[in-house]
Amino acid sequence: MNLVFFVLIGAAVVVAAVAEITGGSGAMAGLSTAALKAAEGAVPLALGLVGVMALFLGLMKVAEEAGMIRATARLLAPLMGRLFPQVPPTHPAMGAMVMNVAANLLGLGNAATPFGIRAMEHLQKLNPHKDCASDPQALFLALNTASVTILPTSVITLRAASGSANPAAVIAPTLAATLVSALVAITAARLLAPLFPPPPATPMVESSEEDPEPPPPPLPAAYGWLALAALIGIIPLMAVHGAELGHWIVPGLMVGVLGYGLTQRVKIYECFVDGAREGFAIAVRIIPYLVAILVAIAMLRQSGALDMILAPLARLTAPLGIPPEALTMAGLRSLSGSGSFGLLASYMNDPAIGPDSFTGILLGTIYGSSETTFYVLAVYFGAVGIRRMRHALAAGLIADLAGLLAAVAACVAFVT
């Protein structure tokens, strides 16, 4: 992360300095202003996450106390165990990762973040190198950048607001693209792991204080496959009625978790408040990491270095059927969630593109099938104090590239 941070800022300063020397008056002043504004904006962004963190970590605390997380881990242990063989089958990390993946599947980006941070905290307890990412943590982060999505809620909402005749047209290509990027993320993380070995250390055994009783055995694999089949069965329903059903997800989740907690005699109010308190602490803890990554990205954009990188690539990819707007969207999406969403909104309202053209659907698919890789890396690793990310960034960027190519292929297959 040290090298990445320096390269982002160094490239921005060099480009702005060259522009200033060659007559671009105000380039360095603009760079300074962008850096200061980004630093100021990091704190409101983190504080804006407090409410979301408190809500969903409160719900997750209730789910943990009621046994939902453990039951979910047991149900999907045969499947998740293949992806994360280093994690005990019924460890709380399994359940937290499942909740994170489920939130991404349903397009609940805000909910996925606190679930992901909780999963990273559990994985950190199994990590013998506390400042260095473990293989499961790197794989989990790569899967988050791929973020398999059935219902890209924000894109559907934006398309509807832009006057689209079929706001849900992005569901099928987004699902196809994210499935491809997820497979690539898994493959890349597995292949790159031996090339970035962690430092030698004596493995640490997790304390049994949190789990004094021996964990129950995993359920038979057939139950996990049935759960997967049920999930696949939801896909056609979401494809047809996704725009309407999307508004039911969060209220349904709240009622379901709290109701189950009541049936298990959990003091849901006190438990929810305890979890919400943890959400506030996490949101405050990640502020320094947000400041660092947001300042670097803002300087890169302000200096014009990002455009200098993407413009030549756009000319190379045009013969492959990838319009320049798509490459710009993909590049900005990896760096900034708010920036890429604003760019998508401007494209959707551009009469030359619009929401229902091939390019418009492709741009929505790219946004819905990718993630802000640098932001996720800073937040997830920052929350647990990891400074050496090993192969996590490389695997995430490879997944982003695969998602872009898969989005183009999916839109060609489903739209044209």
Side-chain angles (χ1 to χ4, degrees), residues 180-365:
V180 171
S181 60
L183 291 174
V184 171
I186 294 170
T187 303
R190 291 281 179 81
L191 295 178
L192 291 173
L195 304 179
F196 298 83
T202 302
M204 297 175 60
V205 179
E206 186 185 15
S207 172
S208 60
E209 292 179 359
E210 292 187 0
D211 194 9
E213 299 180 0
L219 295 174
Y223 288 92
W225 291 112
L226 286 174
L228 180 62
L231 179 61
I232 294 174
I234 294 175
I235 294 175
L237 181 65
M238 288 295 184
V240 177
H241 301 289
E244 298 86 1
L245 294 177
H247 303 296
W248 290 75
I249 295 173
V250 172
L253 177 65
M254 294 176 66
V255 170
V257 171
L258 296 177
Y260 185 80
L262 279 178
T263 64
Q264 300 301 308
R265 302 181 183 277
V266 173
K267 296 181 179 179
I268 59 173
Y269 179 75
E270 291 86 346
C271 190
F272 179 91
V273 171
D274 286 342
R277 189 179 295 112
E278 295 177 21
F280 178 83
I282 290 172
V284 172
R285 191 163 67 236
I286 64 177
I287 288 178
Y289 301 93
L290 284 178
V291 170
I293 197 66
L294 292 179
V295 166
I297 290 171
M299 293 177 66
L300 192 70
R301 293 177 60 191
Q302 175 65 31
S303 67
L306 182 62
D307 293 333
M308 291 179 62
I309 296 172
L310 294 179
L313 291 176
R315 289 193 292 269
L316 293 175
T317 57
L320 301 177
I322 304 177
E325 297 86 354
L327 199 62
T328 302
M329 173 60 68
L332 188 56
R333 178 64 171 147
S334 294
L335 296 172
S336 170
S338 59
S340 57
F341 189 77
L343 182 63
L344 178 62
S346 67
Y347 284 144
M348 293 295 99
N349 291 283
D350 185 347
I353 297 177
D356 292 327
S357 66
F358 174 81
T359 301
I361 295 175
L362 173 61
L363 294 174
T365 301

Side-chain angles (χ1 to χ4, degrees), residues 142-176:
L143 282 175
N144 266 266
T145 62
S147 61
V148 177
T149 305
I150 294 177
L151 188 64
T153 309
S154 58
V155 178
I156 292 173
T157 302
L158 179 58
R159 286 174 52 79
S162 302
S164 172
N166 182 15
V170 294
I171 291 180
T174 297
L175 177 61

